[in-house]
Amino acid sequence: MGIRFVWPRVGSWLVLLAALFVSRERAVGQGGLVRLDSLGHAARFAEAQLAHSVSYLAANQHARSTLAGGAWRYVGAQDWTSGFFAGCQWLMYERTQGEKWRLRATQQTLDLAGQQNNTGDHDIGFRIFLSYGNAFRCTGDPAYRDVLWTAAQSLATRFNPTVGCTRSWDFGAWQFPVIIDNLMNLELLFWSAQNGGDPNGYAMARSHALRTLQEHVRPDGSTYHVVDFDPATGAVLWKGTHQGYADNSTWSRGQAWAIYGFTMTYRYTHEQVFLDGACRVAEYWLKNVPPDGVPYWDFQAPGIPNEPRDTSAAAIAAAGLLELGTAVNDPVLGSKYRQAGVALLRTLSQAPYLAEGSNSDGILLHGVGNKPANSEVDVSLIYGDYYFLEALRRL
Ligand code: GLY
């Protein structure tokens, strides 16, 4: 009697232990194994941080970067970063299906409605695609899609067929500046063209990505931040930087935008040239990052290793590498990129990068906005948090 009782109980414990082990270890493709417990912990921490942030920011106050005391400095709808806070809330709604997240994300998104007609720079993609784009993806409400179509037409007004690009900025002494970041905003044009909006946006976005591949990417796979073109002839006037260390250095967030941007362009075009471009910039990244995968703010920053890291660049690259790992045909290469993305995400999910235990209301610490301008150095950045959440979603 006693024996019959004991063995089933021991067996039950073995089954329970096995189940716990399996729930902690999950295959993530191409043979890579990753412990998901730290990522689950980071996701729960992210939800708590975001819940606290929305408790004191109104729906027309869009978190941008943290102040010395740890609270968010917020911006209005016209700022280039305004779409990320709403985007974080939509990703949290998608993850939790919590009605409170849907309501709050809706309010935060609607505050950006006027930006659909903002033709003043390329950042309309960041503002609208991450807010309204996520809103449409999460709800299917056609009112959001209409805003995306209009915003794509606004961005298209900045396209110059002679240069083959959309102009990034209207300030400065440049003639027609195109920055590597601008790749990200092509998704608004691609998506709209393939989802009922103006079909002409597809050729514009493709042309812009091709010219960026030709002019911004150096032979070793590193990138220029800014290329200035002659708007009348399309000739290159100057190549250099605005937020990086030097004209011939590689600004880390720019390199991350390139990994993500060329991979995204391949997703829409299926053209090998963009996949090859994404691999070239990814290879430069992987060969030159420090051992833990989180880059210094510029790959050639003069004081390395005593220079600030940039977790926003790391989060963008992690999201890009995870997609690139599924895009390449070679399983060995795919596994390499995917595992690099997972490892980077795990690194960001713990000290010293996760904001847990700090006074910051952000999710990630140690982001760098603009080091040469001594602006937003070693702070939490809402775009770092956004791409961290997006990378978790991709995983
Ligand atoms: N797109 C602006 C930045 O990355 O700082």
Side-chain angles (χ1 to χ4, degrees), residues 80 123 126 179 181 243 251 253 257 369 383:
W80 82 269
D123 290 315
F126 284 123
I179 62 173
D181 326 27
Q243 281 162 255
W251 175 50
R253 193 161 58 254
W257 292 137
Y383 37 98

Side-chain angles (χ1 to χ4, degrees), residues 348-393:
L348 293 174
S349 295
Q350 44 195 291
Y353 301 115
L354 196 70
E356 194 171 26
S358 77
N359 70 357
S360 173
D361 291 344
I363 300 167
L364 298 180
L365 298 172
H366 307 310
V368 173
N370 187 338
K371 180 76 167 52
N374 200 24
S375 169
E376 300 176 316
V377 177
D378 199 12
V379 294
S380 296
L381 295 166
I382 194 64
Y383 37 98
D385 288 2
Y386 176 83
Y387 287 103
F388 178 70
L389 292 178
E390 188 177 280
L392 281 177
R393 172 179 175 269

Side-chain angles (χ1 to χ4, degrees), residues 84-146:
F84 294 106
F85 195 38
C88 287
Q89 294 166 27
W90 282 116
L91 293 183
M92 201 51 74
Y93 166 64
E94 186 179 33
R95 181 179 184 85
T96 63
Q97 291 298 299
E99 184 61 6
K100 71 177 192 323
W101 283 117
R102 190 184 66 77
L103 289 172
R104 176 57 196 247
T106 303
Q107 293 168 346
Q108 201 86 37
T109 297
L110 293 180
D111 185 61
L112 304 178
Q115 295 304 309
Q116 66 187 294
N117 300 308
N118 184 343
T119 58
D121 57 40
H122 70 113
D123 290 315
I124 187 171
F126 284 123
R127 294 186 195 97
I128 296 293
F129 198 72
L130 304 184
S131 53
Y132 280 84
N134 276 308
F136 182 65
R137 192 174 56 75
C138 289
T139 67
D141 184 337
Y144 293 130
R145 184 200 54 202
D146 294 349

